[in-house]
Amino acid sequence: VQLQASGGGLVQAGGSLRLSCAASGRTFGIYMAWFRQAPGKERESVATINWSGDSSNYAASVKGRFTISKDNAKNTLYLQMNSLKPEDTAVYYCAARSSSGSYNYWGQGTLVTVSS
């Protein structure tokens, strides 16, 4: 599985961004997620979604502001980010795994910078 993330950029606090992650290769049945890593901090899980898209989970810090979704017909994962805060500034990575494995497929990351 190959992953290509896009959509990052500079936005003011309170603004919105939508990240996309195009998947290719053997994508059938994969579970996907968005992670982020802020400067000087460990990488953390932001949101996860199952293959069918009917089950998702969010980090407490983004719940109610971010929405993860996927379009299997387009092999694309999305992260809609609303009400952005400066503390959301990070490099965001999309990741994928099989139904029973760990996240071992990673995109290259896209930088999101939220100014105050």
Side-chain angles (χ1 to χ4, degrees):
V1 177
Q2 295 79 45
L3 304 172
Q4 180 77 32
S6 61
L10 174 64
V11 63
Q12 287 188 331
S16 298
L17 276 177
R18 189 176 81 156
L19 305 183
S20 299
C21 176
S24 60
R26 301 181 69 175
T27 60
F28 183 81
I30 60 173
Y31 286 49
M32 300 188 76
W34 288 99
F35 288 76
R36 67 185 181 187
Q37 187 167 21
K41 295 188 177 181
E42 292 188 357
R43 186 167 58 193
E44 63 174 348
S45 174
V46 174
T48 66
I49 192 166
N50 65 348
W51 161 249
S52 60
D54 60 0
S55 178
S56 58
N57 289 284
Y58 296 90
S61 58
V62 306
K63 210 166 190 177
R65 299 188 297 121
F66 290 11
T67 303
I68 189 171
S69 62
K70 64 200 304 273
D71 184 334
N72 287 340
K74 296 182 178 180
N75 284 333
T76 302
L77 175 73
Y78 302 100
L79 185 68
Q80 178 66 44
M81 305 185 293
N82 298 328
S83 302
L84 283 160
K85 304 175 181 180
E87 50 264 44
D88 294 318
T89 294
V91 177
Y92 284 71
Y93 299 90
C94 56
R97 65 175 179 87
S98 66
S99 60
S100 60
S102 58
Y103 288 100
N104 55 354
Y105 301 103
W106 294 86
Q108 85 287 4
T110 185
L111 177 62
V112 173
T113 303
V114 184
S115 63
S116 57

